[in-house]
Amino acid sequence: LGVPNDALGWIYGILIAAEMAVLVFYTRIERFFGSKKNFLFASGIILGIALLAAATIPFIPVVIAILALGFAFGYGRAPLFESYFNKHLPSKTRATALSTINMFQRLAMAITAPIVGILVDQSLNGTLLLLAALALFLAFRSRVKEEHLID
């Protein structure tokens, strides 16, 4: 890509700032989408489109901006899922259940991150297209129900 190593910290900072913006304005964004379920669906679509665009657009500043948007909406969903789990898990078993969920998330990352790394070594654009397809597939395949998300 030709991005200097000393720029990577700034790029990561942009990604985190974008995620913070989604979290700060979460209520407004949810209202814009009409419901929590619509927000979850749209955030999956936004992430998929961002990855697809990153694979096809050659201009690095635009790719960074698009990935920041996808990152913000992709990771900005975590608090909603945490709220969802907290609401539906009995307090007696909540800590154990949340710890187990976190362990499986980390295990999944430990397994998939090296695989993604190997794929990126082969083809960055191909990997981005694969991840975009996966994000879009999962967004359309989601079985989350609105009644489970109601406060």
Side-chain angles (χ1 to χ4, degrees), residues 66-130:
I66 289 169
L67 284 178
L69 180 68
F71 184 90
F73 279 92
Y75 281 99
R77 302 179 324 164
L80 180 58
F81 283 120
E82 289 169 15
S83 170
Y84 177 79
F85 290 135
N86 283 324
K87 207 175 299 170
H88 293 284
L89 294 170
S91 62
K92 190 175 186 179
T93 59
R94 185 175 302 141
T96 303
L98 291 175
S99 178
T100 303
I101 290 167
N102 189 35
M103 178 188 65
F104 281 117
Q105 287 174 331
R106 298 211 182 261
L107 178 62
M109 284 300 290
I111 293 168
T112 58
I115 294 168
V116 170
I118 291 167
L119 293 173
V120 166
D121 284 344
Q122 300 302 311
S123 170
L124 175 61
N125 289 345
T127 303
L128 289 170
L129 289 172
L130 177 67

Tab-separated table of all heavy atoms in Angstrom, residues 66-130:
chain	number	residue	atom	x	y	z
A	66	ILE	N	-13.121	5.410	4.562
A	66	ILE	CA	-14.157	4.377	4.424
A	66	ILE	C	-13.987	3.296	5.487
A	66	ILE	O	-14.959	2.859	6.107
A	66	ILE	CB	-14.126	3.778	2.996
A	66	ILE	CG1	-14.640	4.807	1.988
A	66	ILE	CG2	-14.925	2.494	2.919
A	66	ILE	CD1	-14.412	4.423	0.551
A	67	LEU	N	-12.754	2.877	5.724
A	67	LEU	CA	-12.513	1.868	6.755
A	67	LEU	C	-12.840	2.402	8.145
A	67	LEU	O	-13.322	1.660	9.002
A	67	LEU	CB	-11.074	1.364	6.698
A	67	LEU	CG	-10.762	0.406	5.564
A	67	LEU	CD1	-9.285	0.012	5.581
A	67	LEU	CD2	-11.646	-0.832	5.620
A	68	ALA	N	-12.601	3.704	8.365
A	68	ALA	CA	-12.960	4.307	9.659
A	68	ALA	C	-14.467	4.219	9.873
A	68	ALA	O	-14.926	3.887	10.976
A	68	ALA	CB	-12.481	5.758	9.719
A	69	LEU	N	-15.229	4.468	8.833
A	69	LEU	CA	-16.687	4.366	8.931
A	69	LEU	C	-17.103	2.924	9.226
A	69	LEU	O	-17.906	2.659	10.134
A	69	LEU	CB	-17.342	4.853	7.634
A	69	LEU	CG	-18.855	4.810	7.588
A	69	LEU	CD1	-19.446	5.835	8.558
A	69	LEU	CD2	-19.342	5.074	6.171
A	70	GLY	N	-16.543	1.986	8.483
A	70	GLY	CA	-16.866	0.576	8.713
A	70	GLY	C	-16.441	0.110	10.089
A	70	GLY	O	-17.182	-0.592	10.777
A	71	PHE	N	-15.242	0.514	10.520
A	71	PHE	CA	-14.727	0.152	11.838
A	71	PHE	C	-15.645	0.709	12.921
A	71	PHE	O	-15.987	0.019	13.876
A	71	PHE	CB	-13.312	0.733	11.981
A	71	PHE	CG	-12.603	0.367	13.253
A	71	PHE	CD1	-11.822	-0.781	13.328
A	71	PHE	CD2	-12.682	1.177	14.369
A	71	PHE	CE1	-11.146	-1.110	14.491
A	71	PHE	CE2	-12.011	0.854	15.538
A	71	PHE	CZ	-11.244	-0.296	15.596
A	72	ALA	N	-16.046	1.963	12.754
A	72	ALA	CA	-16.897	2.617	13.758
A	72	ALA	C	-18.213	1.877	13.942
A	72	ALA	O	-18.645	1.614	15.063
A	72	ALA	CB	-17.156	4.066	13.352
A	73	PHE	N	-18.848	1.530	12.848
A	73	PHE	CA	-20.132	0.841	12.951
A	73	PHE	C	-19.952	-0.629	13.319
A	73	PHE	O	-20.768	-1.197	14.035
A	73	PHE	CB	-20.939	0.985	11.660
A	73	PHE	CG	-21.652	2.294	11.583
A	73	PHE	CD1	-21.075	3.390	10.982
A	73	PHE	CD2	-22.909	2.443	12.151
A	73	PHE	CE1	-21.727	4.605	10.926
A	73	PHE	CE2	-23.577	3.650	12.111
A	73	PHE	CZ	-22.982	4.734	11.493
A	74	GLY	N	-18.884	-1.249	12.841
A	74	GLY	CA	-18.637	-2.650	13.186
A	74	GLY	C	-18.369	-2.839	14.667
A	74	GLY	O	-18.985	-3.672	15.323
A	75	TYR	N	-17.461	-2.040	15.211
A	75	TYR	CA	-17.131	-2.155	16.629
A	75	TYR	C	-18.113	-1.396	17.514
A	75	TYR	O	-18.214	-1.681	18.702
A	75	TYR	CB	-15.702	-1.677	16.895
A	75	TYR	CG	-14.674	-2.699	16.519
A	75	TYR	CD1	-14.001	-2.628	15.303
A	75	TYR	CD2	-14.388	-3.761	17.362
A	75	TYR	CE1	-13.073	-3.581	14.950
A	75	TYR	CE2	-13.460	-4.723	17.019
A	75	TYR	CZ	-12.801	-4.621	15.811
A	75	TYR	OH	-11.886	-5.570	15.455
A	76	GLY	N	-18.826	-0.447	16.953
A	76	GLY	CA	-19.805	0.314	17.725
A	76	GLY	C	-21.009	-0.514	18.144
A	76	GLY	O	-21.825	-0.075	18.950
A	77	ARG	N	-21.114	-1.722	17.620
A	77	ARG	CA	-22.228	-2.606	17.981
A	77	ARG	C	-21.991	-3.331	19.294
A	77	ARG	O	-22.917	-3.826	19.909
A	77	ARG	CB	-22.459	-3.649	16.879
A	77	ARG	CG	-22.744	-3.009	15.567
A	77	ARG	CD	-22.951	-3.920	14.417
A	77	ARG	NE	-22.164	-5.126	14.380
A	77	ARG	CZ	-22.446	-6.145	13.610
A	77	ARG	NH1	-23.497	-6.099	12.828
A	77	ARG	NH2	-21.694	-7.209	13.593
A	78	ALA	N	-20.762	-3.386	19.744
A	78	ALA	CA	-20.414	-4.157	20.947
A	78	ALA	C	-21.227	-3.755	22.182
A	78	ALA	O	-21.743	-4.637	22.877
A	78	ALA	CB	-18.918	-4.052	21.218
A	79	PRO	N	-21.384	-2.460	22.480
A	79	PRO	CA	-22.174	-2.107	23.671
A	79	PRO	C	-23.628	-2.578	23.587
A	79	PRO	O	-24.218	-2.942	24.607
A	79	PRO	CB	-22.101	-0.582	23.727
A	79	PRO	CG	-20.862	-0.239	22.991
A	79	PRO	CD	-20.740	-1.272	21.911
A	80	LEU	N	-24.201	-2.589	22.395
A	80	LEU	CA	-25.571	-3.067	22.244
A	80	LEU	C	-25.633	-4.569	22.552
A	80	LEU	O	-26.544	-5.024	23.247
A	80	LEU	CB	-26.090	-2.792	20.836
A	80	LEU	CG	-27.515	-3.248	20.539
A	80	LEU	CD1	-28.511	-2.610	21.500
A	80	LEU	CD2	-27.880	-2.927	19.111
A	81	PHE	N	-24.669	-5.326	22.059
A	81	PHE	CA	-24.638	-6.758	22.362
A	81	PHE	C	-24.422	-7.003	23.852
A	81	PHE	O	-25.048	-7.883	24.438
A	81	PHE	CB	-23.552	-7.470	21.544
A	81	PHE	CG	-23.931	-7.694	20.114
A	81	PHE	CD1	-23.184	-7.154	19.088
A	81	PHE	CD2	-25.046	-8.456	19.787
A	81	PHE	CE1	-23.538	-7.361	17.760
A	81	PHE	CE2	-25.412	-8.672	18.463
A	81	PHE	CZ	-24.648	-8.125	17.455
A	82	GLU	N	-23.548	-6.212	24.476
A	82	GLU	CA	-23.318	-6.362	25.913
A	82	GLU	C	-24.604	-6.082	26.696
A	82	GLU	O	-24.930	-6.798	27.638
A	82	GLU	CB	-22.194	-5.438	26.368
A	82	GLU	CG	-20.835	-5.889	25.873
A	82	GLU	CD	-19.749	-4.856	26.090
A	82	GLU	OE1	-19.958	-3.906	26.876
A	82	GLU	OE2	-18.680	-5.006	25.477
A	83	SER	N	-25.316	-5.048	26.298
A	83	SER	CA	-26.591	-4.728	26.938
A	83	SER	C	-27.581	-5.868	26.743
A	83	SER	O	-28.299	-6.259	27.662
A	83	SER	CB	-27.151	-3.430	26.352
A	83	SER	OG	-28.467	-3.215	26.785
A	84	TYR	N	-27.600	-6.415	25.543
A	84	TYR	CA	-28.470	-7.534	25.202
A	84	TYR	C	-28.179	-8.732	26.108
A	84	TYR	O	-29.083	-9.322	26.686
A	84	TYR	CB	-28.234	-7.882	23.733
A	84	TYR	CG	-28.988	-9.066	23.184
A	84	TYR	CD1	-30.320	-8.963	22.824
A	84	TYR	CD2	-28.347	-10.283	22.985
A	84	TYR	CE1	-30.998	-10.048	22.286
A	84	TYR	CE2	-29.018	-11.364	22.450
A	84	TYR	CZ	-30.347	-11.240	22.105
A	84	TYR	OH	-31.002	-12.311	21.583
A	85	PHE	N	-26.904	-9.056	26.261
A	85	PHE	CA	-26.531	-10.184	27.120
A	85	PHE	C	-26.888	-9.910	28.575
A	85	PHE	O	-27.414	-10.778	29.270
A	85	PHE	CB	-25.039	-10.497	27.007
A	85	PHE	CG	-24.640	-11.094	25.690
A	85	PHE	CD1	-23.514	-10.654	25.025
A	85	PHE	CD2	-25.391	-12.110	25.109
A	85	PHE	CE1	-23.145	-11.200	23.812
A	85	PHE	CE2	-25.032	-12.668	23.891
A	85	PHE	CZ	-23.896	-12.215	23.240
A	86	ASN	N	-26.573	-8.709	29.049
A	86	ASN	CA	-26.856	-8.370	30.448
A	86	ASN	C	-28.346	-8.459	30.761
A	86	ASN	O	-28.740	-8.824	31.864
A	86	ASN	CB	-26.331	-6.987	30.795
A	86	ASN	CG	-24.839	-6.987	31.010
A	86	ASN	OD1	-24.285	-7.937	31.534
A	86	ASN	ND2	-24.186	-5.924	30.594
A	87	LYS	N	-29.161	-8.120	29.799
A	87	LYS	CA	-30.601	-8.126	29.987
A	87	LYS	C	-31.169	-9.547	30.074
A	87	LYS	O	-32.134	-9.790	30.785
A	87	LYS	CB	-31.248	-7.381	28.815
A	87	LYS	CG	-32.567	-6.758	29.121
A	87	LYS	CD	-33.050	-5.958	27.936
A	87	LYS	CE	-32.058	-4.847	27.650
A	87	LYS	NZ	-32.276	-4.143	26.424
A	88	HIS	N	-30.576	-10.463	29.347
A	88	HIS	CA	-31.156	-11.797	29.218
A	88	HIS	C	-30.465	-12.880	30.047
A	88	HIS	O	-30.959	-13.998	30.100
A	88	HIS	CB	-31.187	-12.210	27.743
A	88	HIS	CG	-32.129	-11.367	26.940
A	88	HIS	ND1	-33.489	-11.525	26.999
A	88	HIS	CD2	-31.909	-10.334	26.096
A	88	HIS	CE1	-34.068	-10.630	26.214
A	88	HIS	NE2	-33.128	-9.908	25.657
A	89	LEU	N	-29.350	-12.534	30.671
A	89	LEU	CA	-28.662	-13.518	31.504
A	89	LEU	C	-29.036	-13.299	32.967
A	89	LEU	O	-28.969	-12.174	33.455
A	89	LEU	CB	-27.140	-13.398	31.343
A	89	LEU	CG	-26.588	-13.755	29.972
A	89	LEU	CD1	-25.111	-13.367	29.884
A	89	LEU	CD2	-26.765	-15.231	29.689
A	90	PRO	N	-29.409	-14.337	33.670
A	90	PRO	CA	-29.719	-14.179	35.095
A	90	PRO	C	-28.475	-13.707	35.857
A	90	PRO	O	-27.363	-14.141	35.556
A	90	PRO	CB	-30.132	-15.576	35.550
A	90	PRO	CG	-30.121	-16.445	34.363
A	90	PRO	CD	-29.555	-15.694	33.202
A	91	SER	N	-28.669	-12.826	36.815
A	91	SER	CA	-27.533	-12.234	37.521
A	91	SER	C	-26.663	-13.282	38.201
A	91	SER	O	-25.458	-13.105	38.339
A	91	SER	CB	-28.005	-11.196	38.529
A	91	SER	OG	-28.826	-11.804	39.503
A	92	LYS	N	-27.261	-14.386	38.611
A	92	LYS	CA	-26.527	-15.444	39.303
A	92	LYS	C	-25.434	-16.055	38.410
A	92	LYS	O	-24.369	-16.438	38.893
A	92	LYS	CB	-27.516	-16.520	39.746
A	92	LYS	CG	-26.960	-17.554	40.666
A	92	LYS	CD	-28.077	-18.471	41.128
A	92	LYS	CE	-27.568	-19.442	42.163
A	92	LYS	NZ	-28.626	-20.324	42.646
A	93	THR	N	-25.697	-16.134	37.113
A	93	THR	CA	-24.745	-16.757	36.191
A	93	THR	C	-24.140	-15.773	35.192
A	93	THR	O	-23.372	-16.181	34.321
A	93	THR	CB	-25.441	-17.890	35.401
A	93	THR	OG1	-26.546	-17.339	34.686
A	93	THR	CG2	-25.899	-19.003	36.316
A	94	ARG	N	-24.487	-14.505	35.323
A	94	ARG	CA	-24.070	-13.502	34.329
A	94	ARG	C	-22.550	-13.409	34.190
A	94	ARG	O	-22.016	-13.421	33.068
A	94	ARG	CB	-24.654	-12.138	34.678
A	94	ARG	CG	-24.356	-11.081	33.624
A	94	ARG	CD	-25.033	-9.769	33.925
A	94	ARG	NE	-26.464	-9.979	34.006
A	94	ARG	CZ	-27.260	-9.380	34.894
A	94	ARG	NH1	-26.770	-8.546	35.771
A	94	ARG	NH2	-28.546	-9.619	34.893
A	95	ALA	N	-21.826	-13.306	35.308
A	95	ALA	CA	-20.366	-13.139	35.236
A	95	ALA	C	-19.713	-14.316	34.524
A	95	ALA	O	-18.840	-14.133	33.667
A	95	ALA	CB	-19.789	-12.954	36.633
A	96	THR	N	-20.142	-15.513	34.851
A	96	THR	CA	-19.572	-16.707	34.220
A	96	THR	C	-19.920	-16.746	32.736
A	96	THR	O	-19.057	-17.037	31.891
A	96	THR	CB	-20.094	-17.980	34.917
A	96	THR	OG1	-19.762	-17.904	36.301
A	96	THR	CG2	-19.487	-19.228	34.310
A	97	ALA	N	-21.163	-16.439	32.408
A	97	ALA	CA	-21.590	-16.462	31.005
A	97	ALA	C	-20.840	-15.414	30.185
A	97	ALA	O	-20.347	-15.712	29.086
A	97	ALA	CB	-23.092	-16.242	30.908
A	98	LEU	N	-20.723	-14.188	30.718
A	98	LEU	CA	-20.016	-13.132	29.989
A	98	LEU	C	-18.535	-13.466	29.836
A	98	LEU	O	-17.938	-13.207	28.792
A	98	LEU	CB	-20.200	-11.789	30.687
A	98	LEU	CG	-21.616	-11.210	30.638
A	98	LEU	CD1	-21.705	-9.938	31.465
A	98	LEU	CD2	-22.061	-10.955	29.208
A	99	SER	N	-17.944	-14.055	30.865
A	99	SER	CA	-16.547	-14.460	30.793
A	99	SER	C	-16.359	-15.547	29.739
A	99	SER	O	-15.391	-15.523	28.966
A	99	SER	CB	-16.087	-14.964	32.161
A	99	SER	OG	-14.761	-15.393	32.108
A	100	THR	N	-17.290	-16.475	29.673
A	100	THR	CA	-17.219	-17.553	28.682
A	100	THR	C	-17.384	-16.991	27.265
A	100	THR	O	-16.641	-17.382	26.350
A	100	THR	CB	-18.297	-18.618	28.969
A	100	THR	OG1	-18.101	-19.106	30.300
A	100	THR	CG2	-18.226	-19.767	27.988
A	101	ILE	N	-18.323	-16.074	27.098
A	101	ILE	CA	-18.516	-15.434	25.789
A	101	ILE	C	-17.236	-14.716	25.377
A	101	ILE	O	-16.773	-14.842	24.232
A	101	ILE	CB	-19.715	-14.462	25.827
A	101	ILE	CG1	-21.018	-15.247	25.952
A	101	ILE	CG2	-19.729	-13.568	24.588
A	101	ILE	CD1	-22.221	-14.387	26.305
A	102	ASN	N	-16.642	-13.962	26.300
A	102	ASN	CA	-15.406	-13.242	26.017
A	102	ASN	C	-14.283	-14.214	25.649
A	102	ASN	O	-13.503	-13.960	24.726
A	102	ASN	CB	-15.017	-12.395	27.224
A	102	ASN	CG	-13.867	-11.462	26.910
A	102	ASN	OD1	-13.760	-10.953	25.809
A	102	ASN	ND2	-13.008	-11.259	27.881
A	103	MET	N	-14.189	-15.332	26.349
A	103	MET	CA	-13.166	-16.329	26.060
A	103	MET	C	-13.340	-16.872	24.636
A	103	MET	O	-12.365	-16.995	23.888
A	103	MET	CB	-13.244	-17.479	27.062
A	103	MET	CG	-12.238	-18.586	26.788
A	103	MET	SD	-12.466	-20.032	27.817
A	103	MET	CE	-14.060	-20.626	27.289
A	104	PHE	N	-14.579	-17.173	24.249
A	104	PHE	CA	-14.811	-17.690	22.901
A	104	PHE	C	-14.542	-16.628	21.835
A	104	PHE	O	-14.061	-16.948	20.743
A	104	PHE	CB	-16.216	-18.276	22.773
A	104	PHE	CG	-16.328	-19.653	23.354
A	104	PHE	CD1	-17.154	-19.901	24.435
A	104	PHE	CD2	-15.598	-20.713	22.833
A	104	PHE	CE1	-17.247	-21.171	24.988
A	104	PHE	CE2	-15.683	-21.987	23.367
A	104	PHE	CZ	-16.503	-22.220	24.457
A	105	GLN	N	-14.835	-15.358	22.141
A	105	GLN	CA	-14.508	-14.293	21.196
A	105	GLN	C	-12.996	-14.217	20.981
A	105	GLN	O	-12.524	-14.104	19.849
A	105	GLN	CB	-15.025	-12.945	21.706
A	105	GLN	CG	-16.515	-12.780	21.619
A	105	GLN	CD	-16.989	-11.493	22.269
A	105	GLN	OE1	-16.386	-10.973	23.208
A	105	GLN	NE2	-18.115	-10.980	21.777
A	106	ARG	N	-12.247	-14.284	22.067
A	106	ARG	CA	-10.779	-14.228	21.968
A	106	ARG	C	-10.226	-15.469	21.263
A	106	ARG	O	-9.274	-15.371	20.484
A	106	ARG	CB	-10.161	-14.044	23.337
A	106	ARG	CG	-10.588	-12.737	23.963
A	106	ARG	CD	-9.552	-12.155	24.856
A	106	ARG	NE	-10.052	-10.935	25.456
A	106	ARG	CZ	-9.780	-9.735	25.037
A	106	ARG	NH1	-9.015	-9.569	23.988
A	106	ARG	NH2	-10.256	-8.669	25.637
A	107	LEU	N	-10.811	-16.611	21.525
A	107	LEU	CA	-10.391	-17.837	20.849
A	107	LEU	C	-10.642	-17.727	19.345
A	107	LEU	O	-9.787	-18.086	18.529
A	107	LEU	CB	-11.130	-19.049	21.432
A	107	LEU	CG	-10.823	-20.405	20.790
A	107	LEU	CD1	-9.348	-20.755	20.971
A	107	LEU	CD2	-11.721	-21.486	21.387
A	108	ALA	N	-11.806	-17.202	18.988
A	108	ALA	CA	-12.127	-17.015	17.569
A	108	ALA	C	-11.121	-16.063	16.918
A	108	ALA	O	-10.662	-16.303	15.789
A	108	ALA	CB	-13.552	-16.489	17.411
A	109	MET	N	-10.760	-14.986	17.621
A	109	MET	CA	-9.765	-14.054	17.076
A	109	MET	C	-8.394	-14.720	16.965
A	109	MET	O	-7.666	-14.496	15.989
A	109	MET	CB	-9.664	-12.804	17.957
A	109	MET	CG	-10.814	-11.839	17.768
A	109	MET	SD	-10.940	-11.229	16.073
A	109	MET	CE	-9.514	-10.196	15.986
A	110	ALA	N	-8.020	-15.530	17.961
A	110	ALA	CA	-6.724	-16.215	17.940
A	110	ALA	C	-6.640	-17.179	16.762
A	110	ALA	O	-5.562	-17.404	16.208
A	110	ALA	CB	-6.495	-16.961	19.251
A	111	ILE	N	-7.764	-17.740	16.372
A	111	ILE	CA	-7.798	-18.672	15.236
A	111	ILE	C	-7.873	-17.926	13.913
A	111	ILE	O	-7.145	-18.233	12.965
A	111	ILE	CB	-8.978	-19.659	15.380
A	111	ILE	CG1	-8.743	-20.582	16.579
A	111	ILE	CG2	-9.186	-20.465	14.097
A	111	ILE	CD1	-9.955	-21.396	16.986
A	112	THR	N	-8.752	-16.926	13.835
A	112	THR	CA	-8.974	-16.264	12.545
A	112	THR	C	-7.916	-15.229	12.181
A	112	THR	O	-7.623	-15.060	10.997
A	112	THR	CB	-10.364	-15.595	12.485
A	112	THR	OG1	-10.481	-14.655	13.547
A	112	THR	CG2	-11.480	-16.613	12.561
A	113	ALA	N	-7.328	-14.541	13.160
A	113	ALA	CA	-6.349	-13.494	12.838
A	113	ALA	C	-5.151	-14.035	12.043
A	113	ALA	O	-4.772	-13.416	11.038
A	113	ALA	CB	-5.900	-12.770	14.105
A	114	PRO	N	-4.546	-15.149	12.444
A	114	PRO	CA	-3.441	-15.666	11.615
A	114	PRO	C	-3.890	-16.080	10.212
A	114	PRO	O	-3.161	-15.888	9.240
A	114	PRO	CB	-2.927	-16.880	12.401
A	114	PRO	CG	-3.397	-16.684	13.792
A	114	PRO	CD	-4.678	-15.915	13.683
A	115	ILE	N	-5.096	-16.620	10.121
A	115	ILE	CA	-5.615	-17.014	8.807
A	115	ILE	C	-5.795	-15.782	7.926
A	115	ILE	O	-5.394	-15.765	6.759
A	115	ILE	CB	-6.938	-17.803	8.949
A	115	ILE	CG1	-6.673	-19.138	9.655
A	115	ILE	CG2	-7.603	-18.022	7.588
A	115	ILE	CD1	-7.931	-19.867	10.100
A	116	VAL	N	-6.387	-14.740	8.495
A	116	VAL	CA	-6.556	-13.483	7.744
A	116	VAL	C	-5.187	-12.924	7.363
A	116	VAL	O	-4.993	-12.440	6.240
A	116	VAL	CB	-7.395	-12.458	8.539
A	116	VAL	CG1	-7.372	-11.090	7.875
A	116	VAL	CG2	-8.827	-12.951	8.684
A	117	GLY	N	-4.222	-12.999	8.279
A	117	GLY	CA	-2.867	-12.527	7.978
A	117	GLY	C	-2.250	-13.260	6.795
A	117	GLY	O	-1.640	-12.642	5.917
A	118	ILE	N	-2.412	-14.570	6.768
A	118	ILE	CA	-1.889	-15.372	5.642
A	118	ILE	C	-2.597	-14.974	4.347
A	118	ILE	O	-1.960	-14.821	3.298
A	118	ILE	CB	-2.053	-16.877	5.933
A	118	ILE	CG1	-1.112	-17.294	7.070
A	118	ILE	CG2	-1.809	-17.714	4.671
A	118	ILE	CD1	-1.398	-18.675	7.648
A	119	LEU	N	-3.914	-14.799	4.426
A	119	LEU	CA	-4.666	-14.386	3.232
A	119	LEU	C	-4.238	-13.008	2.748
A	119	LEU	O	-4.114	-12.779	1.534
A	119	LEU	CB	-6.169	-14.413	3.520
A	119	LEU	CG	-6.793	-15.789	3.755
A	119	LEU	CD1	-8.241	-15.656	4.203
A	119	LEU	CD2	-6.685	-16.638	2.499
A	120	VAL	N	-3.978	-12.083	3.690
A	120	VAL	CA	-3.532	-10.734	3.313
A	120	VAL	C	-2.172	-10.808	2.626
A	120	VAL	O	-1.925	-10.082	1.657
A	120	VAL	CB	-3.487	-9.802	4.553
A	120	VAL	CG1	-2.706	-8.525	4.262
A	120	VAL	CG2	-4.894	-9.461	5.006
A	121	ASP	N	-1.281	-11.697	3.115
A	121	ASP	CA	0.015	-11.867	2.456
A	121	ASP	C	-0.154	-12.318	1.010
A	121	ASP	O	0.642	-11.956	0.140
A	121	ASP	CB	0.874	-12.886	3.202
A	121	ASP	CG	1.481	-12.318	4.474
A	121	ASP	OD1	1.505	-11.079	4.632
A	121	ASP	OD2	1.928	-13.124	5.317
A	122	GLN	N	-1.186	-13.109	0.738
A	122	GLN	CA	-1.444	-13.588	-0.615
A	122	GLN	C	-2.086	-12.500	-1.475
A	122	GLN	O	-1.685	-12.282	-2.606
A	122	GLN	CB	-2.356	-14.819	-0.588
A	122	GLN	CG	-1.793	-15.983	0.188
A	122	GLN	CD	-0.464	-16.447	-0.345
A	122	GLN	OE1	-0.313	-16.655	-1.544
A	122	GLN	NE2	0.516	-16.590	0.532
A	123	SER	N	-3.118	-11.839	-0.907
A	123	SER	CA	-3.840	-10.801	-1.653
A	123	SER	C	-4.668	-9.949	-0.690
A	123	SER	O	-5.664	-10.427	-0.149
A	123	SER	CB	-4.769	-11.437	-2.695
A	123	SER	OG	-5.630	-10.461	-3.249
A	124	LEU	N	-4.239	-8.708	-0.495
A	124	LEU	CA	-4.982	-7.799	0.378
A	124	LEU	C	-6.382	-7.564	-0.171
A	124	LEU	O	-7.375	-7.683	0.558
A	124	LEU	CB	-4.235	-6.472	0.541
A	124	LEU	CG	-4.974	-5.401	1.337
A	124	LEU	CD1	-5.260	-5.867	2.755
A	124	LEU	CD2	-4.179	-4.104	1.336
A	125	ASN	N	-6.478	-7.251	-1.453
A	125	ASN	CA	-7.790	-6.978	-2.050
A	125	ASN	C	-8.698	-8.202	-1.998
A	125	ASN	O	-9.884	-8.098	-1.694
A	125	ASN	CB	-7.648	-6.481	-3.484
A	125	ASN	CG	-7.082	-5.077	-3.540
A	125	ASN	OD1	-7.042	-4.366	-2.543
A	125	ASN	ND2	-6.614	-4.682	-4.712
A	126	GLY	N	-8.144	-9.362	-2.273
A	126	GLY	CA	-8.930	-10.585	-2.202
A	126	GLY	C	-9.440	-10.845	-0.791
A	126	GLY	O	-10.590	-11.251	-0.597
A	127	THR	N	-8.590	-10.594	0.208
A	127	THR	CA	-8.992	-10.789	1.596
A	127	THR	C	-10.090	-9.797	1.983
A	127	THR	O	-11.063	-10.172	2.649
A	127	THR	CB	-7.779	-10.634	2.538
A	127	THR	OG1	-6.772	-11.568	2.141
A	127	THR	CG2	-8.169	-10.879	3.980
A	128	LEU	N	-9.935	-8.546	1.562
A	128	LEU	CA	-10.968	-7.541	1.854
A	128	LEU	C	-12.299	-7.928	1.205
A	128	LEU	O	-13.361	-7.771	1.814
A	128	LEU	CB	-10.521	-6.152	1.395
A	128	LEU	CG	-9.401	-5.515	2.214
A	128	LEU	CD1	-8.880	-4.258	1.527
A	128	LEU	CD2	-9.869	-5.211	3.624
A	129	LEU	N	-12.240	-8.452	-0.021
A	129	LEU	CA	-13.468	-8.898	-0.689
A	129	LEU	C	-14.103	-10.072	0.054
A	129	LEU	O	-15.327	-10.116	0.225
A	129	LEU	CB	-13.171	-9.291	-2.142
A	129	LEU	CG	-12.853	-8.145	-3.088
A	129	LEU	CD1	-12.387	-8.681	-4.441
A	129	LEU	CD2	-14.061	-7.226	-3.262
A	130	LEU	N	-13.275	-11.000	0.517
A	130	LEU	CA	-13.784	-12.139	1.281
A	130	LEU	C	-14.425	-11.678	2.586
A	130	LEU	O	-15.532	-12.109	2.937
A	130	LEU	CB	-12.647	-13.119	1.563
A	130	LEU	CG	-13.009	-14.337	2.407
A	130	LEU	CD1	-13.972	-15.246	1.636
A	130	LEU	CD2	-11.759	-15.089	2.795
